[in-house]
């Protein structure tokens, strides 16, 4: 026993000694480390004895980083030439002919200009009205593959429809990548009111995801009845069994168009709005080699020479084709699409709705957009006009269809329509097809006998692919020598570099602007929001200290008007109200009320006399009637019009 105890004591002693040794070693090691750290801290203090304390240094370092970022942003910012400088370039008869003259400044024309300019070609683009003045600003605002085409592809085993969907889904991803500030993902709900429709819609949504492949957005999913009502509280409850949700893209179409135009100018293109083609010129062999121009603002006329001319005038395609050859047959079958804007309480802020089977078989979208709700569209034959009027029966049809899906608590009223507009979709016939009456499903590129290239049809989502295909064809037809291959899949649009979804926070913190205004500037201008904010626009309030709104319920500010005049070629009040800001599309009455202030600021920037201000007021009110403004407001005594312009503050109150 004692012997065993002795062994145990010996074992304990050895263990205790080992533990003590380990503890001593650990102590000495820690002391050594502490001593070394202490010595280094003393040395560091001696070296930095003449520097401010750590807190001050950290703050100075942060400010230096911030200042460097600002300087980098300034280096990244490009100052565009003025419209006058652009016009002078077009008038220069001493220069070499342009490689391409693009007629039309909508989505297609601006996309062509970006594609050609980034390849190193010498490009000019002219637009009779303003960039996106036609169909390109009057879309459903979706960047989508086309669920209707998908249904046809599956039900009719149509490979061509399948190819259209796949191309559009590929382009959708590129669209969202190159303009992140102007586009975003949007979940869209398909409400289900019959149990057997659930597997049908579920398969369709999953096929939509599969066709997109690696470029798919968020995966589609099923919602139970309760979850569907939670996501879309305004939805009609009766007979609802659930809903499918799929994802597509949404964008700010007119601002996207302006961004494309300014991006092409950044890469060297000469662009001019309010500049119309009065006739085409031809060489000795009868081939088109330029055009005669007229500045619609000044009346000046001149001729532009080019190796090739591209007709990208959308609904007005036939007009330019007849300048080439008066005997050319019309190829455009214009179709009117009406949209309406409703207050934001008609839909959630982050969920759209699709009615795939309306009373007459058409599809209708019901989407949140720019703080309001957009509903549309119709599809009916129409005449080609500059500013088409929405028909009252089509507005009522949309309201009626919307009411079928909304709760009885939501009274759908005609008086709730804040704005309404009609856009002309240029469906086209191929003049070289055997059956010239059949419409082209996608887009069409036609080369006339006199080498006028016409690109027509298509949709917003595929503008880039259309541009690439058309420029490829132009290079072949006109024997052009580009310096680069097409790079538009990776070409970030102006304002995109460095953009993040949280950059609005810095705008709030650094400039003292309202959060809603900061978010709007970030989403509309991207990194160039800093340029907008650098323009003096102080308020007289304690908060926000920056950004005087031109309309109290919308985030558009006075500094934007000055910025768009200086750097986005805005020339008229309608340019600003409809396509630089979107106020005319969101609320025609609010745009009308803000018109005097807009004219006052533009008059200061562009040195308008009283007569020009009066013309702007009259022209803008006529335009706003086509956007849903009451007709009687477009006809006013001249004295009242003058009073509104000269004394805008009084009229606003």
């Amino acid at each position: 026993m004692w012997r065993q105890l002795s062994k145990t004591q010996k074992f304990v002693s050895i263990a205790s000694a080992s533990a003590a040794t380990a503890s001593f070693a650990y102590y000495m090691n820690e002391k050594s480390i502490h001593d070394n750290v202490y010595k280094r801290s003393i040395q560091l203090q001696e070296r930095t004895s003449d520097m401010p304390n750590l807190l001050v240094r950290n703050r100075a370092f942060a400010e230096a980083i911030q200042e460097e970022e600002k300087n980098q942003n300034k280096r990244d910012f490009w100052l565009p030439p003025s419209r006058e400088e652009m016009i002078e370039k077009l008038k220069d008869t001493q220069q070499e002919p342009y490689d391409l003259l693009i007629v039309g400044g909508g989505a297609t024309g601006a996309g062509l200009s970006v594609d050609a300019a980034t390849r190193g070609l010498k490009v000019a683009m002219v637009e009779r009205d303003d960039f996106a003045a036609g169909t390109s600003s009057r879309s459903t605002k979706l960047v989508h593959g086309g669920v209707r085409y998908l249904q046809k592809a599956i039900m009719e085993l149509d490979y061509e429809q399948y190819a259209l969907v796949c191309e559009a889904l590929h382009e959708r991803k590129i669209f969202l990548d190159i303009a992140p500030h102007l586009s975003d993902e949007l979940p869209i709900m398909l409400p289900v009111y019959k149990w057997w429709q659930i597997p049908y819609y579920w398969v369709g949504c999953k096929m939509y995801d599969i066709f997109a492949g690696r470029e798919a957005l968020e995966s589609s999913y099923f919602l139970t009845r309760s979850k569907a009502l939670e996501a879309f509280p305004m939805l009609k409850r009766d007979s609802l069994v659930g809903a499918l949700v799929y994802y597509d893209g949404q964008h700010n179409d007119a601002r996207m168009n302006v961004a494309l135009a300014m991006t092409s100018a950044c890469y060297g293109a000469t662009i001019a709005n309010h500049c119309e083609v009065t006739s085409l010129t031809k060489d000795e062999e009868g081939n088109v080699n330029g055009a005669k121009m007229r500045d619609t603002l000044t009346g000046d006329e001149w001729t532009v020479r080019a190796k090739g001319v591209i007709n990208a005038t959308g609904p007005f395609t036939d007009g330019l084709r007849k300048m080439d050859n008066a005997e050319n047959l019309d190829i455009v079958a214009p179709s009117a699409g009406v949209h309406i804007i409703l207050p934001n309480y008609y839909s959630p802020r982050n969920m759209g709705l699709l009615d795939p089977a309306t009373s007459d078989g058409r599809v209708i979208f019901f989407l949140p957009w720019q703080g309001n709700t957009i509903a549309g569209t119709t599809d009916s034959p129409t005449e080609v006009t500059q500013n088409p009027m929405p028909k009252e029966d089509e507005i009522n049809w949309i309201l009626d269809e919307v009411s079928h899906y909304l709760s009885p608590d939501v009274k759908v009223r005609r008086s709730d329509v804040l704005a309404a507009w009609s856009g002309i979709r240029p469906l086209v016939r191929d003049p070289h097809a055997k059956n010239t009456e059949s419409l082209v499903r996608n887009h069409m590129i036609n080369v006339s006998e006199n080498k006028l290239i016409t690109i027509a049809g298509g949709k917003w989502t595929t503008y880039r692919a259309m541009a690439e295909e058309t420029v490829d064809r132009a290079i072949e037809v006109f024997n052009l020598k580009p310096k680069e291959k097409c790079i538009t899949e990776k070409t970030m649009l102006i304002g995109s570099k460095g953009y993040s979804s949280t950059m609005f926070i810095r705008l709030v913190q650094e400039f003292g602007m309202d959060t809603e205004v900061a978010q709007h500037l970030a989403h509309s201008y991207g990194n160039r929001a800093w340029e907008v904010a650098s323009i003096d626009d102080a308020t007289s309030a304690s908060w926000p200290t920056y950004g005087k709104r031109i309309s109290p319920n919308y985030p558009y500010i006075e500094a934007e008007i000055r910025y768009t005049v200086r750097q986005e070629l805005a020339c008229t009040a309608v340019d600003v109200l409809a396509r630089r800001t979107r106020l005319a599309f969101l609320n025609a009455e609010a745009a009308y009320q803000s018109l005097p202030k807009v004219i006052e600021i533009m008059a200061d920037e562009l040195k308008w006399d009283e007569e020009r201000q009066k013309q702007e007021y009259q022209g803008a009110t006529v335009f706003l009637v086509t956007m849903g403004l009451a007709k009687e407001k477009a006809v006013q005594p001249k004295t009242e019009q003058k009073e509104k312009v000269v004394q805008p503050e009084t009229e606003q109150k």
Side-chain angles (χ1 to χ4, degrees):
M1 176 181 174
W2 294 109
R3 191 177 299 167
Q4 185 67 29
L5 181 61
S6 177
K7 288 181 179 180
T8 302
Q9 289 176 336
K10 184 177 181 181
F11 175 78
V12 171
S13 299
I14 293 173
S16 300
S18 299
T21 303
S23 299
F24 179 77
Y26 176 80
Y27 168 77
M28 292 303 295
N29 181 62
E30 286 295 298
K31 185 176 186 300
S32 175
I33 293 173
H34 180 269
D35 289 342
N36 288 335
V37 170
Y38 179 76
K39 289 179 181 178
R40 286 199 299 271
S41 66
I42 293 297
Q43 292 172 354
L44 186 61
Q45 287 179 16
E46 292 174 351
R47 292 175 186 173
T48 60
S49 58
D50 57 342
M51 293 179 63
N53 63 46
L54 185 60
L55 180 61
V56 174
R57 293 205 303 274
N58 281 343
R59 181 176 179 181
F61 177 75
E63 290 176 349
I65 291 294
Q66 194 173 72
E67 186 65 28
E68 176 59 23
E69 288 177 354
K70 287 183 180 179
N71 292 335
Q72 184 63 41
N73 283 335
K74 289 179 181 178
R75 287 193 293 270
D76 291 338
F77 287 146
W78 157 79
L79 186 64
S82 66
R83 182 175 180 274
E84 290 71 22
E85 291 172 320
M86 297 283 196
I87 295 292
E88 287 305 313
K89 286 183 181 180
L90 290 173
K91 290 180 177 179
D92 186 1
T93 58
Q94 303 301 315
Q95 66 176 331
E96 290 294 315
Y98 285 97
D99 289 320
L100 290 175
L101 170 61
I102 300 165
V103 184
T108 304
L112 283 166
S113 189
V114 172
D115 189 291
T118 53
R119 298 196 201 201
L121 295 173
K122 186 178 181 182
V123 187
M125 178 185 71
V126 295
E127 162 60 42
R128 178 176 61 182
D129 196 328
D130 184 31
F131 309 122
T135 305
S136 298
S137 62
R138 299 165 183 260
S139 71
T140 311
K141 324 302 180 191
L142 285 177
V143 187
H144 62 129
V147 290
R148 290 174 293 176
Y149 301 133
L150 172 66
Q151 183 183 28
K152 291 180 180 179
I154 296 174
M155 301 300 293
E156 301 174 12
L157 299 179
D158 190 329
Y159 179 79
E160 186 178 351
Q161 297 282 4
Y162 162 76
L164 288 177
V165 174
C166 290
E167 179 191 45
L169 290 172
H170 172 66
E171 292 300 318
R172 179 186 68 179
K173 181 64 167 61
I174 296 171
F175 199 117
L176 298 180
D177 286 346
I178 65 175
H181 59 301
L182 294 169
S183 57
D184 204 355
E185 299 178 10
L186 177 70
I188 300 176
M189 178 182 291
L190 286 160
V192 181
Y193 290 92
K194 296 178 181 178
W195 283 104
W196 66 265
Q197 291 179 328
I198 293 177
Y200 176 75
Y201 287 149
W202 185 88
V203 170
C205 290
K206 289 304 175 185
M207 291 296 290
Y208 201 55
D209 295 341
I210 292 170
F211 283 6
R214 294 182 178 180
E215 296 174 326
L217 306 180
E218 296 292 330
S219 295
S220 57
Y221 56 90
F222 173 75
L223 288 176
T224 63
R225 181 180 185 275
S226 60
K227 290 296 183 182
L229 291 171
E230 183 179 327
F232 207 116
M234 309 83 176
L235 209 57
K236 184 174 69 175
R237 297 170 177 266
D238 297 345
S239 303
L240 182 70
V241 297
L244 270 299
V245 176
Y246 74 95
Y247 282 78
D248 251 330
Q250 189 179 50
H251 73 132
N252 186 337
D253 52 5
R255 287 223 49 89
M256 179 73 179
N257 202 147
V258 171
L260 285 168
M262 301 314 296
T263 300
S264 72
C266 184
Y267 279 91
T270 304
I271 63 173
N273 52 352
H274 301 283
C275 181
E276 69 174 342
V277 170
T278 56
S279 64
L280 297 174
T281 61
K282 297 179 180 179
D283 60 19
E284 296 176 354
E285 298 177 357
N287 295 327
V288 175
N289 69 348
K292 292 183 178 180
M293 308 278 182
R294 186 175 75 88
D295 186 335
T296 61
L297 299 179
T298 65
D300 290 351
E301 296 185 354
W302 67 94
T303 300
V304 173
R305 297 179 301 149
K307 296 175 184 177
V309 177
I310 299 179
N311 176 9
T313 52
F316 304 95
T317 292
D318 289 325
L320 201 67
R321 277 171 47 81
K322 290 183 184 298
M323 289 184 189
D324 173 33
N325 185 344
E327 297 181 358
N328 278 336
L329 298 176
D330 290 349
I331 64 172
V332 173
S335 175
V338 173
H339 295 82
I340 63 174
I341 290 288
L342 297 166
N344 56 15
Y345 55 75
Y346 270 83
S347 70
R349 296 184 66 88
N350 60 347
M351 179 72 75
L353 184 142
L354 167 64
D355 178 359
T358 59
S359 57
D360 63 359
R362 291 182 286 188
V363 171
I364 191 169
F365 287 96
F366 192 64
L367 312 166
W369 184 69
Q370 300 288 306
N372 282 354
T373 301
I374 182 173
T377 179
T378 61
D379 186 8
S380 57
T382 187
E383 297 293 325
V384 176
T385 57
Q386 189 73 16
N387 291 305
M389 283 282 294
K391 296 179 181 178
E392 191 64 27
D393 60 337
E394 293 182 323
I395 294 174
N396 289 327
W397 178 84
I398 295 174
L399 291 171
D400 186 54
E401 293 298 328
V402 165
S403 66
H404 294 163
Y405 277 87
L406 296 183
S407 167
D409 294 336
V410 181
K411 303 297 181 184
V412 181
R413 304 174 301 178
R414 176 62 178 86
S415 58
D416 283 342
V417 177
L418 302 176
W421 68 86
S422 178
I424 301 176
R425 184 185 178 196
L427 304 175
V428 293
R429 307 179 185 92
D430 187 346
H432 292 163
K434 292 181 180 179
N435 180 9
T436 57
E437 292 302 314
S438 61
L439 298 176
V440 176
R441 291 181 175 182
N442 192 8
H443 63 272
M444 179 213 67
I445 300 174
N446 173 258
V447 182
S448 74
E449 293 180 356
N450 302 322
K451 293 189 176 181
L452 171 68
I453 294 182
T454 295
I455 169 68
K459 60 182 182 179
W460 243 118
T461 305
T462 57
Y463 84 89
R464 193 209 63 82
M466 292 165 57
E468 180 179 357
E469 185 179 344
T470 307
V471 173
D472 286 343
R473 189 71 177 276
I475 290 170
E476 176 188 342
V477 171
F478 304 125
N479 193 28
L480 304 178
K481 306 297 181 185
K483 298 177 183 178
E484 303 282 349
K485 294 182 179 180
C486 178
I487 59 172
T488 52
E489 284 197 6
K490 302 295 183 182
T491 302
M492 302 296 287
L493 299 191
I494 192 167
S496 298
K497 188 174 181 180
Y499 168 79
S500 73
S501 58
T502 57
M503 69 171 287
F504 76 92
I505 298 173
R506 287 184 61 190
L507 290 170
V508 173
Q509 293 174 335
E510 295 195 22
F511 294 97
M513 62 178 67
D514 180 77
T515 300
E516 185 184 12
V517 170
Q519 289 176 326
H520 153 65
L521 293 181
H523 292 154
S524 297
Y525 302 92
N527 64 22
R528 298 185 78 84
W530 301 101
E531 287 286 288
V532 179
S534 68
I535 298 172
D536 182 42
D537 192 9
T539 69
S540 57
S542 58
W543 185 266
T545 59
Y546 180 87
K548 288 178 287 195
R549 300 192 183 204
I550 62 173
S551 181
N553 296 322
Y554 294 89
Y556 305 113
I557 61 175
E558 294 181 11
E560 284 182 81
I561 303 172
R562 299 188 186 277
Y563 173 82
T564 58
V565 169
R566 296 173 188 176
Q567 298 202 33
E568 290 187 346
L569 307 184
C571 302
T572 69
V574 173
D575 292 352
V576 169
L577 286 172
R579 295 173 288 272
R580 302 308 185 278
T581 73
R582 306 311 309 277
L583 187 55
F585 280 82
L586 292 171
N587 191 322
E589 177 64 31
Y592 176 71
Q593 295 297 329
S594 67
L595 181 57
K597 174 57 69 175
V598 171
I599 292 175
E600 178 191 358
I601 295 171
M602 294 188 74
D604 180 56
E605 289 287 323
L606 297 171
K607 311 307 177 188
W608 288 343
D609 58 20
E610 188 173 321
E611 182 60 29
R612 174 62 189 275
Q613 294 179 54
K614 189 183 301 182
Q615 292 173 3
E616 287 292 325
Y617 189 88
Q618 293 172 342
T621 51
V622 170
F623 170 81
L624 288 173
V625 168
T626 69
M627 303 299 295
L629 183 70
K631 291 183 180 180
E632 58 270 16
K633 293 190 176 181
V635 182
Q636 299 185 31
K638 291 185 178 181
T639 54
E640 186 177 347
Q641 291 174 357
K642 179 177 177 180
E643 184 181 355
K644 275 184 174 290
V645 176
V646 177
Q647 300 176 354
E649 293 297 337
T650 303
E651 292 297 327
Q652 284 284 79
K653 294 177 182 177

